[in-house]
Amino acid sequence: MAVTLMTAVLADAPLDWELDHIGQSPDGRGRRVAHFLLCLDPAAFAGPDPFRRRLADLVATTRRAPAAGADPVLSPGDPERLRAGEAARHGIPLDPDTARALHALALRHGVEAPVSAADHRRVP
């Protein structure tokens, strides 16, 4: 509720349940998703060292929570770090159309193609 208050209510934007689904807005009309940015300096509060210590404790405690299913409990940023590690080890997965477009661009500009037009699984 706090996030909705700081975004949609302050901006007179649609509440979560009032938003059009992605790709379903009438032509020419955006979804009107509101955003709120807040910057805080930990030094203005308890200081950077206590902040880092308490944040590390919060994240570790969250990750140790019992999982509802087989997957572990993740904290914000964990899925992105996992995907980045996977991409660093195995390359970036590409759909066939993107692979063909990148291959054509490489050929047009005389650079080595990172992937053949037929091999669209990963770009090293």
Side-chain angles (χ1 to χ4, degrees), residues 65-81:
D71 293 329
V73 174
L74 302 176
S75 67
D78 286 345
E80 294 80 5
R81 276 187 287 284

Side-chain angles (χ1 to χ4, degrees), residues 94 98-119 122-124:
L94 295 174
T98 301
R100 282 190 290 276
L102 288 174
H103 185 75
L105 280 170
L107 292 175
R108 185 175 336 143
H109 293 283
V111 297
E112 184 180 344
V115 64
S116 74
D119 182 18
R122 304 228 178 238
V123 173

Side-chain angles (χ1 to χ4, degrees), residues 40-98:
L40 299 173
D41 182 0
F45 297 90
D49 291 333
F51 173 78
R52 283 188 202 97
R53 199 169 43 253
R54 299 294 289 156
L55 179 60
D57 183 43
L58 173 65
V59 170
T61 301
T62 300
R63 289 178 179 149
R64 285 192 308 265
D71 293 329
V73 174
L74 302 176
S75 67
D78 286 345
E80 294 80 5
R81 276 187 287 284
L82 291 168
R83 279 194 296 277
E86 178 75 14
R89 286 187 299 279
H90 304 290
I92 301 168
L94 295 174
D95 63 90
D97 291 337
T98 301

Side-chain angles (χ1 to χ4, degrees), residues 30-49:
R31 295 179 65 221
R32 296 187 54 231
V33 175
H35 301 278
F36 176 79
L37 303 174
L38 174 67
C39 298
L40 299 173
D41 182 0
F45 297 90
D49 291 333

